[in-house]
Amino acid sequence: MTRLASIPRSIGGMEWHWRKGTEAAGAPGADDDDIVARLLLARGVARDELDQHRNPTLRGFMPDPSLFRDMDLAAARLADAVIAREKLTVYGDYDVDGATSAALLLRLFAALGHEAGYYIPDRLLEGYGPSGEALVRLGEAGSRLIVTVDCGAMAYEALAQARAAGIEVIVVDHHKCAAQLPEAFALVNPNRLDENDAAAAHGHLAAVGVAFLLAAAIVRELRQRGYFAGRQEPRLTDLLDIVALGTVADVAQLRGLNRALVAQGLKVMAGRRNVGLNALISASRLNRAPVCSDLGFALGPRINAGGRVGKSDLGVRLLTTEDPAEARDIAQELDRLNEERRLIEAQVQEAAEAAMAGQHNRSVALVAGSGWHPGVIGIVAGRLKEKYGKPAIVVAVDDTGIGKGSGRSISGVDLGAAIISAREAGLLQAGGGHAMAAGLTVAQDGIEALAEWLDARLAPAVAAASAERILAVDALISPRGMNPGFVEALEGAGPYGTGWPGPRIVTGPVRVIRSDIVGKDHVRAIVAGDDGASFKAMAFRQGEGALGQLLLHGDRGQRYWLAGRAKVDDWGPTPKAEMHIDDVALAG
């Protein structure tokens, strides 16, 4: 990347650089590529693949499910169960990825004429992952075949206990695996260490994406056996709204197949054919078709609230019901629980911030507290990561002295691999995850040793990731160019998310006309350019930061460059463009 000309070091201490492939965007002598092409090129798309990526489809990105180890074995066994009407149970995790993965398979089996049961563990009472006791109980109740989704890759003891009881367990997961695999009938996971390179290239899939591939393999197996003679074959594309929700809410990288799943899933979701999702959209007070960010910030958190502070099975019940009245009741309950979750989160956030104030300057922020609600520690870890610019782990210690922790990482630092290594080193009772997020169980008296071990192990990676603070920029426009049409044009290279960053633009010079605080700590400003155009700009959670203070109290005569995301504010009668500010630099 090359540095933007004439932009000094910013208020946030970052250098602004053109994202690779967008150096010409908005500059004199730019080539003839449209803005969408430039955005795609900047995200690593080869020029001869631009058409494929402009409208990502399943046909263009869907791999043969047989590419993955144990996929055909799992599909054949589940096809046997469907044909024989064998009792089977889907065992899901309590978060959005687990709920959507479970709901997808349950809806598939129902469409195949076979009703399956489900089991979602209680976060507080049972913790993450399958427990041997629960698996055995399900077997004793008649389910000798169990499919775990979004969990099981590291469940050695639980799966061994199930196998000893004569229960067959199929694991569908995406979390990192160790070299030794648990004793499962089949284990489908692109992150198996013994996977081939082509399958491992899909390691960014959420569990619901892996479950969708399994669904395709099951339908193909049944088709080959003649199961659909005289009966309707299910339309797998009807399940893509669920796949999109789980993929975005689990912060999976939106590249390759994931981007196609989400792009097509949003189209299905716009039709609001899923009764539960329709009710959830209404409860979220969305008055338009959901966009990608709504999945992560409106719909996903409400599904998660059930597992965090309410009943863990609410998400699955919502996504599988065909009763509008039941869907409305569940959606309203999830909305209420989400508000309760926000209050609890704020309390834990305040306590975690206080704990950070007295912490040594480690490369990994690790804080722990007694009485912290384990249902919100992952969210708080994400907040700490954003504020301090380094991996963060928050541990909630219970009355028995056992800590349940959740961590979030920064780009370039594989936290999941470090947690697995810590478990193998005897520092943890349990632990696992993926590059950007991880979970763990640790004794209270081992927390300090874990913090020191992680600091030593990850310090080089964190230092490398933090050494050069660069803000990548895609386009330079005038203030008058900030309009809804421009924002709509940017969406042509979407959907955006983790691994496929939304476009960041630079505009200016502008002066701040007025500014104020809205909400708890957000800064709202009206800015005007030399061309006479004005628009609204927002700096979220920056009221007390340098950027927020500049907008609130800076010299009104000073001119600034703004860098951030262009959005459409559609709350009023006329849609208007606004900017969500990432950084500010002084203009001449």
Side-chain angles (χ1 to χ4, degrees):
M1 292 189 292
T2 57
R3 186 178 176 186
L4 280 165
S6 76
I7 301 293
R9 199 165 189 84
S10 71
I11 300 302
M14 293 181 282
E15 291 187 356
W16 300 359
H17 288 235
W18 289 117
R19 203 184 305 272
K20 182 180 179 182
T22 52
E23 290 87 349
D31 60 28
D32 293 330
D33 284 327
D34 57 62
I35 185 64
V36 173
R38 291 202 296 267
L39 293 173
L40 293 174
L41 291 168
R43 281 146 188 80
V45 176
R47 189 171 289 274
D48 60 357
E49 296 178 351
L50 286 174
D51 289 341
Q52 177 189 14
H53 284 266
R54 283 178 186 272
N55 181 28
T57 63
L58 288 185
R59 183 182 298 274
F61 290 94
M62 183 85 167
D64 182 346
S66 297
L67 182 70
F68 300 85
R69 289 188 181 274
D70 284 1
M71 181 70 82
D72 290 341
L73 179 64
R77 180 66 185 89
L78 290 169
D80 291 341
V82 169
I83 292 171
R85 297 296 185 256
E86 182 180 349
K87 185 172 183 179
L88 68 94
T89 300
V90 178
Y91 191 119
D93 188 24
Y94 39 67
D95 70 358
V96 184
D97 196 15
T100 52
S101 299
L104 183 147
L105 291 182
L106 291 167
R107 294 185 72 93
L108 171 69
F109 292 135
L112 294 170
H114 184 48
E115 297 296 327
Y118 65 86
Y119 185 90
I120 309 295
D122 185 279
R123 176 191 289 265
L124 300 181
L125 299 178
E126 298 176 84
Y128 170 76
S131 72
E133 293 79 6
L135 294 174
V136 170
R137 283 199 308 271
L138 292 171
E140 292 173 346
S143 184
R144 312 303 291 179
L145 176 61
I146 298 172
V147 184
T148 71
V149 289
D150 197 30
C151 59
M154 302 287 287
Y156 300 100
E157 295 180 3
L159 267 59
Q161 194 171 340
R163 182 171 183 175
I167 301 167
E168 295 175 320
V169 179
I170 295 172
V171 175
V172 180
D173 205 351
H174 70 131
H175 293 98
K176 286 187 175 291
C177 296
Q180 178 187 354
L181 297 174
E183 299 178 82
F185 176 85
L187 196 156
V188 183
N189 185 339
N191 288 306
R192 286 175 56 154
L193 296 183
D194 60 348
E195 265 297 8
N196 60 76
D197 291 343
H202 294 282
H204 59 289
L205 287 172
V208 70
V210 183
F212 183 79
L213 293 174
L214 174 60
I218 294 170
V219 170
R220 181 177 62 184
E221 178 71 18
L222 288 170
R223 185 188 307 123
Q224 292 171 350
R225 297 189 192 186
Y227 182 78
F228 298 113
R231 80 174 75 216
Q232 186 174 1
E233 184 172 320
R235 285 169 48 92
L236 292 179
T237 53
D238 289 346
L239 300 172
L240 287 176
D241 50 2
I242 296 177
V243 179
L245 175 58
T247 298
V248 174
D250 206 53
V251 202
Q253 294 192 29
L254 295 192
R255 55 185 175 85
L257 177 58
N258 273 350
R259 191 160 161 265
L261 292 171
V262 173
Q264 300 307 314
L266 285 169
K267 295 178 183 178
V268 175
M269 194 177 295
R272 299 180 73 152
R273 292 193 292 270
N274 184 297
V275 173
L277 268 178
N278 181 45
L280 189 66
I281 292 168
S282 296
S284 302
R285 293 167 285 281
L286 293 174
N287 54 10
R288 49 166 171 71
V291 295
C292 193
S293 59
D294 294 325
L295 309 189
F297 295 104
L299 305 183
R302 286 171 169 79
I303 295 284
N304 258 336
R308 292 185 188 279
V309 297
K311 297 178 181 178
S312 59
D313 67 346
L314 286 176
V316 173
R317 287 173 53 197
L318 178 73
L319 297 173
T320 55
T321 185
E322 296 296 339
D323 181 348
E326 181 186 26
R328 182 178 62 253
D329 291 344
I330 296 174
Q332 290 175 351
E333 174 68 359
L334 287 171
D335 188 52
R336 184 191 67 78
L337 290 170
N338 191 50
E339 291 302 315
E340 181 180 337
R341 185 270 306 169
R342 288 181 178 179
L343 294 175
I344 295 171
E345 175 194 330
Q347 295 169 355
V348 175
Q349 175 78 26
E350 183 178 355
E353 292 277 7
M356 280 292 297
Q359 188 183 94
H360 297 299
N361 188 25
R362 290 182 170 134
S363 297
V364 178
L366 194 158
V367 292
S370 298
W372 293 357
H373 197 298
V376 301
I377 55 177
I379 302 174
V380 174
R383 301 281 192 212
L384 295 180
K385 177 204 74 170
E386 292 297 329
K387 182 171 183 176
Y388 296 100
K390 58 186 177 182
I393 298 172
V394 179
V395 180
V397 181
D398 64 21
D399 294 339
T400 67
I402 299 299
K404 295 297 179 68
S406 186
R408 298 293 183 268
S409 193
I410 60 176
S411 180
V413 181
D414 191 334
L415 185 60
I419 292 300
I420 291 174
S421 295
R423 181 187 59 79
E424 293 173 342
L427 294 166
L428 300 172
Q429 296 179 5
H434 47 81
M436 301 301 288
L440 58 91
T441 302
V442 61
Q444 184 174 16
D445 59 9
I447 292 175
E448 184 64 22
L450 173 65
E452 293 179 357
W453 188 90
L454 288 172
D455 182 49
R457 178 183 175 88
L458 294 178
V462 173
S466 306
E468 190 174 26
R469 299 192 64 205
I470 290 175
L471 198 72
V473 171
D474 292 286
L476 173 65
I477 65 167
S478 68
R480 189 169 297 281
M482 280 285 294
N483 58 65
F486 173 72
V487 179
E488 184 178 352
L490 295 178
E491 290 302 314
Y496 300 105
T498 303
W500 196 266
R504 181 179 288 112
I505 65 169
V506 172
T507 188
V510 297
R511 291 181 176 84
V512 177
I513 304 302
R514 62 180 184 270
S515 59
D516 60 354
I517 291 284
V518 294
K520 184 178 179 180
D521 193 35
H522 311 313
V523 178
R524 175 178 57 192
I526 302 299
V527 301
D530 294 344
D531 57 8
S534 62
F535 58 87
K536 182 174 75 175
M538 295 292 302
F540 293 100
R541 293 186 294 276
Q542 290 291 330
E544 298 180 0
L547 191 157
Q549 290 295 302
L550 180 73
L551 295 173
L552 289 168
H553 307 298
D555 181 0
R556 289 295 191 251
Q558 175 64 53
R559 299 157 76 235
Y560 303 103
W561 294 103
L562 306 183
R565 317 284 182 171
K567 303 290 183 180
V568 172
D569 179 0
D570 53 9
W571 285 102
T574 304
K576 297 181 179 179
E578 66 180 30
M579 174 179 276
H580 295 178
I581 303 175
D582 292 324
D583 203 3
V584 174
L586 300 179

